[in-house]
Amino acid sequence: MGKRYEKTWNRGEGAGKYTYAMLSAAGVLGFFLLWQLAVESGLVSSRYITKPTELVGVFLRKMYDSAPDGSTLPSNILASLKVALSGLALAILIGVPLGWLMGWYGEIDAFMKPLFEIIRPIPPVSWIPLTITWLGIGLGAKAFIIFFSAFVPCVINSYTGIRQTKSILINVAKTCGASNFTIFRKVGIPSSLPVTFAGIRVALGNAWSTLVAAEMLAANVGLGYMIQMGRTFARPDIIILGMVVIGAFGAFFAAMLDLMEKRFVKGGGNRG
């Protein structure tokens, strides 16, 4: 009886995932269909927005055509991935451990929090003039801007997550003779992971949304630069193509992050 119930439950879970995937695909296709109909009906002028069917042709042509920005789409994608992922990775590697340490150790919190609260409200794009002075206009400068946009949510969420560690878990570990660092490593960090991953997800969105501003640093290649050149040459098709590609890669990395969360966080894949 138990085995039969478990088998039925697993079937239901599989059916639910299939239904979710179908609804997600229907939502995306429905959006593009409404977009197509809006342009074809004249509700939106084709001078300002390109039809999705035409965008496919622009995408295929841009794979080998460097006009109008001087680079093909694969070259722009590779350049943007280097910038976005370099800044994001640095923000995660520094921001998440810093948030954990601030949330667990009061001395570190007292030392770092005032400085962090001063830095936190500063918009990432306001660092551009100083970044040019410090680092020039290369990959490091653009990654630095991405870093600041992703750093803050990494710190805040890892800090909040570890502060929410249940006291009963800490007391049980103390009863078993665990040291404070052992409790931090084996109790605090694992319990903070759901909130920490939520912060990384926000950081991922910030990294891609800041990409265009970061690539304004006298860049000559990248999706942000391609969008800027599309505006300069009055090419809405190039602008929209850049936006769609950025959105697609953002969704892809968000899906990869979900898989990582399921791997490291117990119950991480069971969000409604």
Side-chain angles (χ1 to χ4, degrees), residues 222-239:
L223 293 171
Y225 179 75
M226 187 178 80
I227 290 173
Q228 292 293 327
M229 289 299 100
R231 180 185 65 84
T232 301
F233 289 98
R235 290 283 304 274
D237 55 340
I238 295 296
I239 296 173

Side-chain angles (χ1 to χ4, degrees), residues 166-229:
K166 294 181 180 179
S167 57
I168 188 172
L169 298 177
I170 297 174
N171 292 333
V172 169
K174 287 181 178 178
T175 302
C176 295
S179 66
N180 188 38
F181 180 74
T182 301
I183 299 172
F184 165 71
R185 184 169 59 88
K186 294 189 175 182
V187 178
I189 291 177
S191 68
S192 75
L193 287 180
V195 182
T196 299
F197 269 99
I200 295 174
R201 189 172 287 104
V202 174
L204 175 64
N206 287 358
W208 282 105
S209 63
T210 313
L211 182 66
V212 175
E215 289 183 338
M216 289 174 60
L217 296 176
N220 55 11
V221 66
L223 293 171
Y225 179 75
M226 187 178 80
I227 290 173
Q228 292 293 327
M229 289 299 100

